[in-house]
Amino acid sequence: MKLDLNDIRGRFPILERTVGDKPLVYLDNTATSQTPREVVEAVVNMYEHYKANVHRGVHTVSQEATDMQEHTRRRVRDYINASSVEEVIFTRGTTEAINLVASSFGDRFRDGDEIILTVMEHHANIVPWQLLQRHKDIKLRVVDINERGELDLEQYKSLFNERTVLATFTHVSNVLGTVNPVKEMIRIAHEHGVTALVDGAQASPHLPIDVRDLDCDFYVFSSHKMYGPTGVGVLYGKKELLESMPPYQGGGEMIKHVSFNGTTFADLPFKFEAGTPDFVDIAAFAKALDFIEEVGLDNIREHEEELLRYTTEKIAEIPGVKIYGTAPHKSAVLSFNVGDAHNYDVGFLLDKLGVAVRTGHHCAQPLMERLGVPGTVRASFAVYNTKEEADIFISSLKRIIPMVL
Ligand code: PLP
C-alpha cells in the first residue's frame, strides 16, 4: 500500500513549525516520536471531561476514567498478544519498567549469580543491574558485536552457566539500528532455564510484537516513542512470574488490606501500580495504538526502510562519512560521524538548517567505548518523514561538512 503522506503529515501539527526560518525536518524519532492530533485531543478530552482518580470512586466520572484507562490496557494486551490484562503493567516508561524488574525480580538473586546483557544496551538496561550490585555480588556478562553491529551469538551461548539468572537484551539498538534475533536468544536462554527480558523501546514503534510467539518472560516499551504521550510505559510479564514477584513500590492502589500488623497486596496488574497512575496519558495512548494500526505496521516499516536505504546510500557516498551499524536486518536508525569532526558540531550546524538530529553517546556509553568514539550523529525516521526531508538532510550535511573539517 502506498502511504498517503500528506494525510499522515497533516495529523502532526508540529511538522508545520519552523526552526529559525527553516521548515523543521525532524529526524530524532528514536529519542521520541511526534504525536498526532487525535492523541493530543484525547489528552485534552480527558482533562476537560474525565479527570477523576481511577479505581477509587463509585462516582460516574471516576468510573468512566477507570474504563478509559482499562480500555488502553486491553488495547495493549491485544497489540502485543499477551494472554491477559493481568500481564500488562503500566509504568512511566521503559526505564521504570526495567527498574521494576531489577528491583522486584532481582530480589531473588544471590551473591555469585550472573546476568547476561549486551554491549549495545541503552543505559536503562545497564544501570538498574549495576544498582543491584550495591547489595549483591552479581556479575554482568557482556555480549560483544561484530563489525556490522550484530551480536556475537556464539559468545552469547557460551556465557550461560549454572549461575546465570537472567538474559536481557534490546530488541533493536537505538544507535546501530540492528534488529536482534530475540526469539532465538530467548529460546537459548530458556534451554538453560534462564529468564529473558527484552527491551522493546526501539522495536515497538516499528515491528509487530507478539510476546507469546517470542515466548519472552518480560517485554518493556514506552508510549512516547510510539506516537503516544509521554509518561507512559508498559511492562509485560508472564503472569506466573509476576505473581511470584514482590511489589516494587508501596502505596495506594496496590493493596488489598493495610493494617499495622501487616498488609496484603492487590492482584495483578495493580500489585505493581502503586499510587495514582498517569491515567490521562494512559487513556490517550490507546489512540496512538489506533493510529499505528490504522496506518499499518507493515506500511510503516516499508516506508521507513525505504528512507533508510535511500539516505544510507547517499550518505555513504560522501567522503569522510563513517556509518556505524550496517547489519542487513536494520531498523530506521542511521548513526555516523564525519571525519574527525565532533558530532556536536555537525548536529549544531544541521539544526541551523532546520534539521533535528541527535548527537552524543545516545545513552549507550559502553557501546561508544566499544566503537572507539565519544559519540555519533544519529538520524532516525518515522512514518511521517519524506524523501524530500531525506534530501534536505543530505544536502544540508554536504553543505556543513566544509565548516566542520
Ligand atoms: N531502551 C532503549 C533501547 C532506548 O532507546 C530507550 C530510549 O531511548 C530506553 C530504553 C529508555 O526509554 P525511556 O526513556 O522512555 O524510559
Side-chain angles (χ1 to χ4, degrees), residues 387-405:
K387 192 153 164 289
E388 290 70 36
E389 288 184 312
D391 282 331
I392 294 174
F393 164 55
I394 294 155
S395 61
S396 302
L397 185 62
K398 285 182 178 159
R399 195 169 144 200
I400 61 137
I401 283 179
M403 300 179 215
V404 291
L405 285 181

Side-chain angles (χ1 to χ4, degrees), residues 30 93-95 122 124 170 172 174 199 201-202 222 224-225:
T30 294
T94 303
T95 303
H122 187 280
T170 191
V172 172
N174 67 317
D199 174 351
Q202 295 302 341
S222 301
H224 71 95
K225 296 183 194 289

Side-chain angles (χ1 to χ4, degrees), residues 55 69-70 73 84-90 100 104 217-218 235-248 253-256 264-273:
H55 291 294
Q69 169 174 291
E70 295 309 313
R73 204 186 303 272
S84 75
V85 286
E86 294 157 296
E87 299 184 322
V88 177
I89 315 289
F90 287 122
L100 191 166
S104 175
D217 300 293
F218 299 111
L235 163 64
Y236 159 81
K238 282 184 179 160
K239 186 175 166 199
E240 58 281 14
L241 199 50
L242 292 173
E243 273 173 342
S244 72
M245 289 160 47
Y248 164 57
E253 213 155 319
M254 51 74 73
I255 52 88
K256 261 198 185 112
T264 50
F265 303 118
D267 293 329
L268 291 174
F270 308 111
K271 180 172 90 174
F272 291 109
E273 294 181 357

Side-chain angles (χ1 to χ4, degrees), residues 118-161:
T118 86
V119 74
M120 65 167 76
E121 297 311 308
H122 187 280
H123 295 165
N125 201 22
I126 299 174
V127 184
W129 311 112
Q130 289 178 329
L131 291 179
L132 268 185
Q133 290 178 314
R134 289 183 304 179
H135 312 292
K136 301 182 192 217
D137 186 16
I138 290 164
K139 211 187 259 173
L140 303 185
R141 318 268 330 248
V142 183
V143 184
D144 199 10
I145 48 172
N146 64 20
E147 62 294 343
R148 288 196 298 266
E150 296 162 303
L151 289 175
D152 180 345
L153 279 191
E154 288 311 309
Q155 187 200 15
Y156 172 68
K157 286 181 201 158
S158 74
L159 292 179
F160 286 88
N161 63 41

Side-chain angles (χ1 to χ4, degrees), residues 29-32 91-98 120-125 169-175 199-203 220-225 231-233 358 362-363 378:
N29 296 288
T30 294
T32 195
T91 65
R92 283 194 301 121
T94 303
T95 303
E96 192 185 38
I98 297 174
M120 65 167 76
E121 297 311 308
H122 187 280
H123 295 165
N125 201 22
F169 32 81
T170 191
H171 196 159
V172 172
S173 163
N174 67 317
V175 175
D199 174 351
Q202 295 302 341
V220 296
F221 54 97
S222 301
S223 148
H224 71 95
K225 296 183 194 289
V232 180
R358 195 68 163 191
H362 315 297
C363 298
R378 182 185 70 188

Side-chain angles (χ1 to χ4, degrees), residues 15 120 152 155 168 191 194 203 237 294 309 353 396 401 404:
L15 300 179
M120 65 167 76
D152 180 345
Q155 187 200 15
T168 180
E191 262 173 24
V194 169
E294 182 203 318
R309 201 164 30 241
L353 300 174
S396 302
I401 283 179
V404 291

Side-chain angles (χ1 to χ4, degrees), residues 288-320:
L289 298 178
D290 290 348
F291 169 79
I292 291 176
E293 287 189 345
E294 182 203 318
V295 179
L297 261 179
D298 285 348
N299 298 322
I300 293 175
R301 196 170 66 221
E302 200 181 306
H303 174 69
E304 291 171 345
E305 279 176 3
E306 180 53 34
L307 286 175
L308 179 69
R309 201 164 30 241
Y310 177 76
T311 313
T312 304
E313 270 172 31
K314 299 276 180 200
I315 296 277
E317 287 167 2
I318 304 174

